[in-house]
Amino acid sequence: MPGIAEYLILGAILFALGLVGFLSRRNLIVIFLSTEVMFQGVVINAVAFARLHHHIDGQAFALFQLVIAAVEAGLALGMIVLLYRRRGTLDSEAWSLMRG
Amino acid sequence: MTPTTAHLLYLIFALGGVGIYLLLPKAGRSQALAGAVIGVISVAGLLTVLAARVILPDATTVYFYLFATIAVLAAARVITHPKPVYCALYFVLVVIAVAALLVLQRAEFLAVALVMIYAGAILVTYLFVIMLAYQGGSPVYDRRSREPLLAVLAGFVLMAAVAGRAEDLPQPASPPTVAVPTADAQDAASQLHDSNTGAIGAAVMTKYVVALEIAGVLLLVAMVGAIAMSRKKVPVERFAAPVRPIGQVGREVEPY
Amino acid sequence: MSIETLKICGIVILLAPLAGAVLAGALGPVKLHGRSHWPAILGVAAAFIAAIVLFGQVRSAPAGETAAAVSVYEWITNGTDAAFTVDFLIDPLTAIMLLTVTGISLLVVIYSRDYMREHGSPLRGYERFFAFLALFVFSMCALVLSGNFLLLYLGWEAVGLCSYLLIGFYYGRPAAAAAAKKAFLVNRVGDFGFGLGILLIYFTFGTLEYGLVFQMVQEGMTGVGDALTNGRITTIALLLLCGACGKSAQLPLHVWLPDAMEGPSPVSALIHAATMVTAGVYMIARCGAIFTASPIAMTAVAIVGGITALFAATIALAQTDMKRILAYSTISQLGYMVLGVGVYAADSAIFHLFTHAFFKALLFLAAGSVMHAMGGIIDIRQFGGLRKILPWTFLTFMAGSLALAGFPLLSGFFSKDEIIHHALTVHPVLGVLGLVTALLTAFYTFRMVFLAFYGPQRVPEGVHPHESGKWMLVPLVILSIGAIGAGYVNIEATGRSFHHFLAPVFEHTFAAASPAHAAAHGVAATAHAGFWTEYGLMIISGGLAIVGILAAYILYMRQDWLPGLIRASAPRSYRTLWNKYYFDEVYDAGVVEPARQTAHVCVGLDDYLIDGLLWLVTAIVRGIGLLLRPFQSGMLQGYALSMVAGIAIIVLLVFWA
């Protein structure tokens, strides 16, 4: 029976992989996809803690996580479409107006 | 976790970092093969280290490690594949593996909800946008990464820091199959009911009803925002009322 | 004499010329223009009248009460003990000096009205001249009136400043600007020693008031009650002598005075003949107590004076510029005055100062008149026989020359004679030097007269000579009356009134020390020598003057091939005299060049070291900026990376530390 530790390690691994993807890929879509991978790690952690404490709160939290993820995906994709229309490219390096 | 196990874990994490670094799209010759090999080795090592503590594997453990492996490998492929469509598809795989893991933890409602929302809605939307912004061929931003070394370093150090301490938490006594009544009588709503769905529903509808409402508003706002963002701007003059000089008589003509 | 009257006189003497200067300088360029001389003339005239009143007050004071310290106001104070006041010391010496200064200044200012009209420079030359001249009168009067060393030093520096401003009056000419700089810098060297002397006085005695200091010196005590050492007082006296050498153009700081002739002739007459250069002599006479307390210093003073007198006279033999000859003559006569003070004959020195002011100012103003007529040329080789063309100038010039040469019965004769007499008593060698110098003085003076005014009439090309106007001639005539008759105030027949007038000033210092000194040297010292000794000396010095005049007559009027022969037979000596013993060249190589090299080094230090340090500071800032700039790339993922790195470090610290 895998204990809490294994689930937490798995959650950390998924979160970290998503983080690496967010930081290093240049395609705007893949960046947000990596964000979703981070969400998966968080969901695993939340549910694992729910099981640890014998509460349903963790799962409720994970449910609201899903809502947030959906909202974020919708808005992010809308923005990606806008940005693509502006510059004609999906490159994140095209947007460095805040430099200096 | 004994210290030696911890050190082994760090070593495996380091190895995994090297593998991810080699797999990330870079200029020059692709080192994906080497990266893949190293990555698989590290995952195998992880499994060995973690599973070695289990004396008698039962079905739950086996399934856990199986789906965990799938999830990790698919997630690695999500972030390292040069083509965005493949990233999305690998992500579907991640979602399914995570759903399986949730089922293993008796969170069936959440598992199904995950599959429905992610694989059903979000991923489809992603694929639509990928098609919308199709650039053809392999553009430069897919072939190269930004600062792969620093990103891998930062991410894996964080991971090792968090994961290395995961053992400090106490184990649950036994997998709860039925609700274990808690001492807190006011927390009756949060006890596990007959079914997982029922339990979540009871919790959300009573204890977290405000959050539920706010979540609904959030979704509405997001919908309105997405529509407002992506609409084309229409010149205002087409709808402006005609200016009629004082004293002029005659038939009004529609502007359009 | 009433203190109130003295105070009012003193304030008028100071402030009237100052007001004239300010008015001429401020209103001259805008309103007065050609009438700018009026504020200066009126101011100096008011000062002259006040000086006469002051003189009357001092003269009528009963014996024993001839000195008065008049305090005007407290200037600097630190609240408890140290206080510096503006106060006057009014005694017979002050009165004589003030009369001389204001009187000669008034005549010079009147003379300048016509002279500067034609010889002014552009850029408000006319107004500028009178403003500076009146400012000079104020400074000189402050110097003379002062009752403490601080005000003396202030007046000292102020006259140096006015001298610089007026020498460099024609500042468009590089020679004039260089001469002004030279005067100021050489004076600075002397003033440095002078300032050190004053500081040492304050350090030793704790006060700068004349009365207190002289009293302490005579008692042999310092300000804190210790005994005054010989070394200390000698040091103070020698440092003060340093200042006198600078201001009065004695060896080795005499080099500025001949070059100062670049200024207009009235300036040369007033500042570099009659008043400013005598400030050194005045100062030594005033600080008699300090000097007489140190026999070594007195010997030094006498030697400096005597050698300078002879040295300058020899140089004057070979010069051809009329104003330069007069300048070296001034140095030589100042040497006489310093020699006089050095041989305990301070009253004789002041008497010579008095008469010298008349005839030297007269000579310079007359030279200015010649220059005026000759269109700015003053080289005596270029004109001749001006006797008929400029009659009045010739007559007054002749009067001044006779007085300078010490022709019997003129003023210079009496004053010079006394100094030589005292010198022979105290330092016989210096007395003989004085006699030789007198001979040379007569010779070169009349060389100048014969070459310029006698002989065939020669005038430079294109010049139409004309006699000067009334405004220039009247002061000349007045000064020649003084040059002829000023000596008579001090002869036996009038009861030696000059010396008697000054006696109270020196009776405790020079007069008292002289017998002691003479006793130590085993020579009988008397204020009035025996009949034959004194009159014998008069005959000898008068005879020397006549011999010198005759020699010049023979060499330049009769056998005028003789000077050429002398020049050819001793070329090296002639060249040395012509080049002023190469003093300027030695100073240039030994002092000016090292200073210039040091300046180059400093410029290099400034450019590389100091500016380099500044550059380093800016380079550090720029470097830090360069390092930090990539962090603001504008790339979202870069910022996210920084955040993650921070979180990783924090997590590490929290979980692992």
Side-chain angles (χ1 to χ4, degrees), chain C residues 352-434:
Chain C
H352 192 56
L353 193 157
F354 182 66
T355 57
H356 173 264
F358 281 104
F359 56 74
K360 196 45 72 63
L362 167 63
L363 281 171
F364 269 109
L365 290 184
S369 182
V370 169
M371 224 170 121
H372 183 81
M374 290 292 114
I377 297 180
I378 200 69
D379 189 335
I380 53 181
R381 298 173 291 189
Q382 301 207 11
F383 47 73
L386 299 180
R387 198 163 33 124
K388 299 287 176 15
I389 313 175
L390 311 172
W392 281 101
T393 307
F394 165 67
L395 282 174
T396 49
F397 200 95
M398 183 62 100
S401 305
L402 285 173
L404 173 58
F407 196 80
L409 300 186
L410 263 58
S411 60
F413 169 70
F414 290 113
S415 53
K416 206 182 298 189
D417 177 64
E418 282 188 29
I419 294 180
I420 298 178
H421 170 71
H422 275 94
L424 282 173
T425 334
V426 178
H427 291 285
V429 175
L430 291 177
V432 170
L433 283 186

Side-chain angles (χ1 to χ4, degrees), chain C residues 152-277:
Chain C
L152 174 75
Y153 195 62
L154 182 127
W156 195 272
E157 297 295 326
V159 295
L161 171 72
C162 293
S163 166
Y164 166 81
L165 289 172
L166 284 166
I167 295 175
F169 183 71
Y170 301 117
Y171 58 80
R173 289 223 317 257
K181 245 194 310 187
K182 183 175 181 180
F184 196 80
L185 289 173
V186 174
N187 260 300
R188 203 85 210 97
V189 174
D191 293 349
F192 181 64
F194 191 50
L196 281 180
I198 293 183
L199 283 175
L200 199 54
I201 288 177
Y202 187 69
F203 181 64
T204 313
F205 300 106
T207 173
L208 288 179
E209 302 289 324
Y210 284 156
L212 293 174
V213 171
F214 296 153
Q215 190 183 349
M216 279 195 255
V217 169
Q218 300 222 296
E219 289 169 10
M221 309 292 289
T222 67
V224 291
D226 304 333
L228 188 60
T229 61
N230 262 341
R232 177 65 61 88
I233 198 69
T234 308
T235 316
I236 293 179
L238 287 177
L239 286 173
L240 293 180
L241 175 63
C242 216
C245 281
K247 192 65 75 181
S248 295
Q250 300 297 294
L251 236 62
L253 296 174
H254 66 284
V255 289
W256 63 274
L257 193 51
D259 286 321
M261 299 299 122
E262 298 283 342
S265 293
V267 169
S268 308
L270 181 61
I271 299 186
H272 306 125
T275 48
M276 182 182 103
V277 291

Side-chain angles (χ1 to χ4, degrees), chain B residues 10 146-147 150 154 158 161 165, chain C residues 635 637-638 641 648 651 655-656:
Chain B
Y10 299 144
R146 274 185 56 88
E147 299 168 338
L150 287 173
L158 190 61
R165 289 298 208 184
Chain C
M635 308 291 298
Q637 285 162 301
L641 180 59
V651 164
F655 281 136
W656 288 69

